[in-house]
Amino acid sequence: MTEATAVAVFFVLCGLGALLGLVTKQERNPVLLALIGAAAALAACVAGAHALFAAQPFAAHLWPLPTGGTLRIGLDRLSGLFLLIVGAVFLPTSVFSAGYLRRYLSHYSLRSFTVLYFGLFASITAVIIARDVFSFLLTWELMSITSYLLVNFEYEREQNVRAGYLMLAMGEGGTLAAALALLLLASAAGALDFSALKAAGGSLSPEMRWSVFLLSFFGFGVKAGLVPFNSWLPRAHPVAPANISALLSGVILNLGIYGIVRVNLDLLRPDLMGTGVVTLIVGTISAFVGILYATTENDTKGMLAHSSIENMGIVTAGLGAGFIFTAAGRPALAAIALVAALYHMTNHSIYKALLFLGAGTVDYRAGTRDLDRLGGLIHRMPWTALFFLIGSLSIAAIYPFSGFASEWLTLQALLRSAELSSTGIKIVFALCGVGLALTAALAVTCFVKAFAMGFLGLARSEQAGEAAEAPASMLAPMGALAVTSFILGVVPTFVIPTLSGALAPLGNPQATAALVPPFFAQETDHAGLPADFAAEFHDLGAQVGERIIPGRGLVVLHRGGAANPVVFAMSTSYGVVVLVLLLLITWLVLARVSHRRRIRREVPWAGGVRQLFPEMTYTATGFSNPVRVVFDAILRPRTVEDTEETVSAHFRVAIKRSEEPTHLVDRFVLEGLTRTLNVVAAWFARMHHGRVNAYVAYVLVTLLVFLVASAFV
């Protein structure tokens, strides 16, 4: 099946799913959505995979526009990668929806949900295959509107409506900025198709390049959830259905990254080092701010939403490093950084979809998302607990799961800044590296809290104590995502060449040669490395498995040039084998030592009390309180209640203190903007006093201003 055929089948299936969703009975819509959605996702995966590995990109002309130009669609390797990720997330999410959507049967219309679901799927794919400015912006708007309607699916709740409006308003602002960037390129090219924009990109002045970069980066950055335009994301995710939250984080956020990469790496060559510095700094700040608020959040979906900001920040930081290395004339280092960014984006799509589906399952079966009211679910929902644990280990970058490989590669790419000549750029890299390292540490804290307080210990509410395991239709998709997340972490030497191939048409084909060389061909020299490079590594032990290992080996390794000969190396593949052997040896030793010992089970000691009640156990709030204290200057929560109830002058019965988080961006950006707009609005309001003479004076003054202005034009 070719790309064109797969794309055609995909759109036919989406149209069929939307049509059948309208005429099918309400109770059958979940199964319909699951079946046709999974088939459409498979078609998207086939089209994306074919484009990713195809020698010739797919392109087609649709019909001419009245204003000039032609609507064009196509798939190259970069868009093939993004389409493959879209299909890989939509496939398990569609199957998961068969069981999950039944909770809405008696409350909301699943017919409208099915139509919007397939509309979102089709519009996302249309954005990726668009090859001209008009079709790109048109399909981008369709994607924004359908995602807004799905986030606002539970429209009877005021909180949902407000979150949906905020998402739509901020998204439209970002779209206007991105549209202006594309129109600036189109005006320079005299055409609307991407190929003409790319040809004209090299002739732009530095000022025009900066304008296009800033408009496109921050315009698409709204969709990616980057600081300072991320306020919509932690509000929209918690109110959306869990399957839509999985798509928001696993797919739609990636479109923001796609827009940044398409404009600033494909259509424009990143020749200005300053653009990379801005990208690196914004990415690092986004990562740190996102994980800080995630660590202090007790709503499971709210925590995952803030974590999405963190992960998009890590991806953006990798892109920034790649832009800087490209501008500095270091193509191999640029390829490593860009591959690390795409690797982490791919991993995030998989494990974040898994975590959101897990959070939705817990909410569905336990009736709450509040970590302070959960606990003990590992006994009631063991399979959900296992899959959520794998997702938590992956997102916390714990070896050997997927997040470890991509975050390790990102940090190693930042360390290669030692090969640059600019001291200022090296300082920026060092500070951003420290910020990302702190982010990684907080991520471990965050997801230890998420799993421990949600699934371990005693149930802290009646709903959690009575929870039941989810049906197989919800568990199977989570299991598939968990296995995929593990595989992506264990075989990086197969993932890196694939991602490097996606970057090859953009002028960055050297990541594979620099990171995954054929170690056993000792006479080969790759990416400007010394001729004895392979021989040295061979002597370090790479000869293990010689003639057995498929492909290019199972070790990720890079050594800098003569000025920076430090080697970094990693092999999660070998590491898993070693880890399994160590665990097996440990089990055998313990079994040998303890086989004659008698085991006696007693009631555990609970601090001297007869029974340990759930109210006496550690909560998520208590677990994350040290982080709140350390970073209080940044968090600055607003106290909404601080009371004491007493029965006499000297004996306090209860102290109640509740705080409402105030997001850093809201405090420093949005609140100041709101106050300014209120002052301006109040000033204009004073003009509406009802005196006709004053209104006539306003008209005369306005006319006079226009006459004076026209005299100088």
PDB file of all heavy atoms in Angstrom, residues 186-209:
ATOM      1  N   ALA A 186       5.616  33.911   2.620  1.00  0.00           N
ATOM      2  CA  ALA A 186       4.924  33.843   1.331  1.00  0.00           C
ATOM      3  C   ALA A 186       5.115  35.127   0.528  1.00  0.00           C
ATOM      4  O   ALA A 186       5.258  35.088  -0.699  1.00  0.00           O
ATOM      5  CB  ALA A 186       3.444  33.570   1.555  1.00  0.00           C
ATOM      6  N   SER A 187       5.119  36.275   1.200  1.00  0.00           N
ATOM      7  CA  SER A 187       5.319  37.538   0.483  1.00  0.00           C
ATOM      8  C   SER A 187       6.718  37.616  -0.116  1.00  0.00           C
ATOM      9  O   SER A 187       6.912  38.159  -1.208  1.00  0.00           O
ATOM     10  CB  SER A 187       5.079  38.714   1.428  1.00  0.00           C
ATOM     11  OG  SER A 187       6.046  38.724   2.469  1.00  0.00           O
ATOM     12  N   ALA A 188       7.706  37.052   0.601  1.00  0.00           N
ATOM     13  CA  ALA A 188       9.070  37.045   0.067  1.00  0.00           C
ATOM     14  C   ALA A 188       9.198  36.070  -1.095  1.00  0.00           C
ATOM     15  O   ALA A 188       9.975  36.302  -2.035  1.00  0.00           O
ATOM     16  CB  ALA A 188      10.062  36.680   1.171  1.00  0.00           C
ATOM     17  N   ALA A 189       8.443  34.967  -1.043  1.00  0.00           N
ATOM     18  CA  ALA A 189       8.535  33.952  -2.095  1.00  0.00           C
ATOM     19  C   ALA A 189       7.631  34.248  -3.282  1.00  0.00           C
ATOM     20  O   ALA A 189       7.869  33.740  -4.386  1.00  0.00           O
ATOM     21  CB  ALA A 189       8.193  32.577  -1.525  1.00  0.00           C
ATOM     22  N   GLY A 190       6.570  35.039  -3.061  1.00  0.00           N
ATOM     23  CA  GLY A 190       5.619  35.292  -4.131  1.00  0.00           C
ATOM     24  C   GLY A 190       4.745  34.101  -4.436  1.00  0.00           C
ATOM     25  O   GLY A 190       4.154  34.012  -5.509  1.00  0.00           O
ATOM     26  N   ALA A 191       4.657  33.154  -3.511  1.00  0.00           N
ATOM     27  CA  ALA A 191       3.838  31.949  -3.700  1.00  0.00           C
ATOM     28  C   ALA A 191       3.457  31.420  -2.329  1.00  0.00           C
ATOM     29  O   ALA A 191       3.970  31.867  -1.291  1.00  0.00           O
ATOM     30  CB  ALA A 191       4.596  30.891  -4.498  1.00  0.00           C
ATOM     31  N   LEU A 192       2.527  30.442  -2.314  1.00  0.00           N
ATOM     32  CA  LEU A 192       2.029  29.901  -1.054  1.00  0.00           C
ATOM     33  C   LEU A 192       2.533  28.497  -0.753  1.00  0.00           C
ATOM     34  O   LEU A 192       2.397  28.037   0.384  1.00  0.00           O
ATOM     35  CB  LEU A 192       0.492  29.879  -1.064  1.00  0.00           C
ATOM     36  CG  LEU A 192      -0.212  31.238  -1.103  1.00  0.00           C
ATOM     37  CD1 LEU A 192      -1.721  31.052  -1.193  1.00  0.00           C
ATOM     38  CD2 LEU A 192       0.136  32.060   0.132  1.00  0.00           C
ATOM     39  N   ASP A 193       3.071  27.784  -1.734  1.00  0.00           N
ATOM     40  CA  ASP A 193       3.487  26.405  -1.477  1.00  0.00           C
ATOM     41  C   ASP A 193       4.812  26.385  -0.718  1.00  0.00           C
ATOM     42  O   ASP A 193       5.656  27.276  -0.873  1.00  0.00           O
ATOM     43  CB  ASP A 193       3.607  25.626  -2.777  1.00  0.00           C
ATOM     44  CG  ASP A 193       4.591  26.247  -3.740  1.00  0.00           C
ATOM     45  OD1 ASP A 193       4.230  27.272  -4.354  1.00  0.00           O
ATOM     46  OD2 ASP A 193       5.716  25.736  -3.863  1.00  0.00           O
ATOM     47  N   PHE A 194       4.982  25.345   0.105  1.00  0.00           N
ATOM     48  CA  PHE A 194       6.143  25.260   0.992  1.00  0.00           C
ATOM     49  C   PHE A 194       7.464  25.188   0.216  1.00  0.00           C
ATOM     50  O   PHE A 194       8.482  25.694   0.691  1.00  0.00           O
ATOM     51  CB  PHE A 194       6.014  24.046   1.905  1.00  0.00           C
ATOM     52  CG  PHE A 194       5.025  24.245   3.024  1.00  0.00           C
ATOM     53  CD1 PHE A 194       4.700  23.197   3.875  1.00  0.00           C
ATOM     54  CD2 PHE A 194       4.420  25.468   3.234  1.00  0.00           C
ATOM     55  CE1 PHE A 194       3.798  23.367   4.916  1.00  0.00           C
ATOM     56  CE2 PHE A 194       3.512  25.657   4.275  1.00  0.00           C
ATOM     57  CZ  PHE A 194       3.191  24.599   5.114  1.00  0.00           C
ATOM     58  N   SER A 195       7.455  24.556  -0.946  1.00  0.00           N
ATOM     59  CA  SER A 195       8.701  24.452  -1.708  1.00  0.00           C
ATOM     60  C   SER A 195       9.194  25.831  -2.139  1.00  0.00           C
ATOM     61  O   SER A 195      10.397  26.122  -2.101  1.00  0.00           O
ATOM     62  CB  SER A 195       8.501  23.554  -2.926  1.00  0.00           C
ATOM     63  OG  SER A 195       7.454  24.065  -3.758  1.00  0.00           O
ATOM     64  N   ALA A 196       8.274  26.720  -2.525  1.00  0.00           N
ATOM     65  CA  ALA A 196       8.664  28.080  -2.894  1.00  0.00           C
ATOM     66  C   ALA A 196       9.137  28.865  -1.680  1.00  0.00           C
ATOM     67  O   ALA A 196      10.094  29.643  -1.755  1.00  0.00           O
ATOM     68  CB  ALA A 196       7.488  28.795  -3.567  1.00  0.00           C
ATOM     69  N   LEU A 197       8.475  28.657  -0.535  1.00  0.00           N
ATOM     70  CA  LEU A 197       8.896  29.333   0.697  1.00  0.00           C
ATOM     71  C   LEU A 197      10.307  28.912   1.088  1.00  0.00           C
ATOM     72  O   LEU A 197      11.124  29.736   1.521  1.00  0.00           O
ATOM     73  CB  LEU A 197       7.919  29.010   1.823  1.00  0.00           C
ATOM     74  CG  LEU A 197       6.733  29.967   2.039  1.00  0.00           C
ATOM     75  CD1 LEU A 197       5.859  30.078   0.802  1.00  0.00           C
ATOM     76  CD2 LEU A 197       5.901  29.514   3.237  1.00  0.00           C
ATOM     77  N   LYS A 198      10.594  27.637   0.926  1.00  0.00           N
ATOM     78  CA  LYS A 198      11.921  27.137   1.281  1.00  0.00           C
ATOM     79  C   LYS A 198      12.985  27.699   0.347  1.00  0.00           C
ATOM     80  O   LYS A 198      14.093  28.048   0.791  1.00  0.00           O
ATOM     81  CB  LYS A 198      11.920  25.605   1.224  1.00  0.00           C
ATOM     82  CG  LYS A 198      13.217  24.963   1.674  1.00  0.00           C
ATOM     83  CD  LYS A 198      13.080  23.450   1.729  1.00  0.00           C
ATOM     84  CE  LYS A 198      14.365  22.809   2.241  1.00  0.00           C
ATOM     85  NZ  LYS A 198      14.236  21.327   2.344  1.00  0.00           N
ATOM     86  N   ALA A 199      12.658  27.810  -0.935  1.00  0.00           N
ATOM     87  CA  ALA A 199      13.621  28.350  -1.888  1.00  0.00           C
ATOM     88  C   ALA A 199      13.919  29.818  -1.611  1.00  0.00           C
ATOM     89  O   ALA A 199      15.049  30.285  -1.800  1.00  0.00           O
ATOM     90  CB  ALA A 199      13.090  28.173  -3.309  1.00  0.00           C
ATOM     91  N   ALA A 200      12.908  30.559  -1.143  1.00  0.00           N
ATOM     92  CA  ALA A 200      13.093  31.984  -0.881  1.00  0.00           C
ATOM     93  C   ALA A 200      13.664  32.259   0.501  1.00  0.00           C
ATOM     94  O   ALA A 200      14.078  33.390   0.776  1.00  0.00           O
ATOM     95  CB  ALA A 200      11.765  32.719  -1.044  1.00  0.00           C
ATOM     96  N   GLY A 201      13.675  31.272   1.372  1.00  0.00           N
ATOM     97  CA  GLY A 201      14.111  31.494   2.744  1.00  0.00           C
ATOM     98  C   GLY A 201      15.548  31.942   2.863  1.00  0.00           C
ATOM     99  O   GLY A 201      15.897  32.734   3.743  1.00  0.00           O
ATOM    100  N   GLY A 202      16.412  31.469   1.968  1.00  0.00           N
ATOM    101  CA  GLY A 202      17.820  31.813   2.058  1.00  0.00           C
ATOM    102  C   GLY A 202      18.125  33.260   1.736  1.00  0.00           C
ATOM    103  O   GLY A 202      19.204  33.762   2.075  1.00  0.00           O
ATOM    104  N   SER A 203      17.190  33.965   1.069  1.00  0.00           N
ATOM    105  CA  SER A 203      17.436  35.355   0.676  1.00  0.00           C
ATOM    106  C   SER A 203      16.893  36.369   1.669  1.00  0.00           C
ATOM    107  O   SER A 203      16.992  37.575   1.432  1.00  0.00           O
ATOM    108  CB  SER A 203      16.816  35.611  -0.705  1.00  0.00           C
ATOM    109  OG  SER A 203      15.408  35.408  -0.659  1.00  0.00           O
ATOM    110  N   LEU A 204      16.313  35.925   2.779  1.00  0.00           N
ATOM    111  CA  LEU A 204      15.733  36.852   3.747  1.00  0.00           C
ATOM    112  C   LEU A 204      16.821  37.568   4.525  1.00  0.00           C
ATOM    113  O   LEU A 204      17.886  37.003   4.815  1.00  0.00           O
ATOM    114  CB  LEU A 204      14.818  36.104   4.716  1.00  0.00           C
ATOM    115  CG  LEU A 204      13.555  35.461   4.138  1.00  0.00           C
ATOM    116  CD1 LEU A 204      12.760  34.791   5.242  1.00  0.00           C
ATOM    117  CD2 LEU A 204      12.697  36.484   3.412  1.00  0.00           C
ATOM    118  N   SER A 205      16.544  38.789   4.891  1.00  0.00           N
ATOM    119  CA  SER A 205      17.475  39.567   5.712  1.00  0.00           C
ATOM    120  C   SER A 205      17.449  39.055   7.145  1.00  0.00           C
ATOM    121  O   SER A 205      16.482  38.403   7.563  1.00  0.00           O
ATOM    122  CB  SER A 205      17.084  41.041   5.689  1.00  0.00           C
ATOM    123  OG  SER A 205      15.805  41.223   6.291  1.00  0.00           O
ATOM    124  N   PRO A 206      18.485  39.337   7.942  1.00  0.00           N
ATOM    125  CA  PRO A 206      18.473  38.906   9.352  1.00  0.00           C
ATOM    126  C   PRO A 206      17.272  39.433  10.128  1.00  0.00           C
ATOM    127  O   PRO A 206      16.721  38.720  10.981  1.00  0.00           O
ATOM    128  CB  PRO A 206      19.795  39.463   9.897  1.00  0.00           C
ATOM    129  CG  PRO A 206      20.678  39.573   8.701  1.00  0.00           C
ATOM    130  CD  PRO A 206      19.769  39.936   7.559  1.00  0.00           C
ATOM    131  N   GLU A 207      16.854  40.666   9.842  1.00  0.00           N
ATOM    132  CA  GLU A 207      15.696  41.218  10.553  1.00  0.00           C
ATOM    133  C   GLU A 207      14.433  40.435  10.230  1.00  0.00           C
ATOM    134  O   GLU A 207      13.615  40.144  11.116  1.00  0.00           O
ATOM    135  CB  GLU A 207      15.508  42.696  10.177  1.00  0.00           C
ATOM    136  CG  GLU A 207      16.612  43.624  10.638  1.00  0.00           C
ATOM    137  CD  GLU A 207      17.851  43.537   9.778  1.00  0.00           C
ATOM    138  OE1 GLU A 207      17.779  42.923   8.668  1.00  0.00           O
ATOM    139  OE2 GLU A 207      18.905  44.071  10.187  1.00  0.00           O
ATOM    140  N   MET A 208      14.256  40.105   8.925  1.00  0.00           N
ATOM    141  CA  MET A 208      13.090  39.321   8.532  1.00  0.00           C
ATOM    142  C   MET A 208      13.151  37.913   9.130  1.00  0.00           C
ATOM    143  O   MET A 208      12.124  37.362   9.550  1.00  0.00           O
ATOM    144  CB  MET A 208      13.013  39.242   7.007  1.00  0.00           C
ATOM    145  CG  MET A 208      11.796  38.483   6.491  1.00  0.00           C
ATOM    146  SD  MET A 208      10.241  39.303   6.863  1.00  0.00           S
ATOM    147  CE  MET A 208      10.276  40.609   5.632  1.00  0.00           C
ATOM    148  N   ARG A 209      14.335  37.330   9.191  1.00  0.00           N
ATOM    149  CA  ARG A 209      14.482  36.005   9.800  1.00  0.00           C
ATOM    150  C   ARG A 209      14.071  36.037  11.269  1.00  0.00           C
ATOM    151  O   ARG A 209      13.395  35.121  11.754  1.00  0.00           O
ATOM    152  CB  ARG A 209      15.929  35.522   9.677  1.00  0.00           C
ATOM    153  CG  ARG A 209      16.315  35.050   8.288  1.00  0.00           C
ATOM    154  CD  ARG A 209      17.791  34.698   8.215  1.00  0.00           C
ATOM    155  NE  ARG A 209      18.113  34.055   6.951  1.00  0.00           N
ATOM    156  CZ  ARG A 209      18.053  32.747   6.747  1.00  0.00           C
ATOM    157  NH1 ARG A 209      17.701  31.956   7.734  1.00  0.00           N
ATOM    158  NH2 ARG A 209      18.341  32.229   5.575  1.00  0.00           N
TER     159      ARG A 209
END
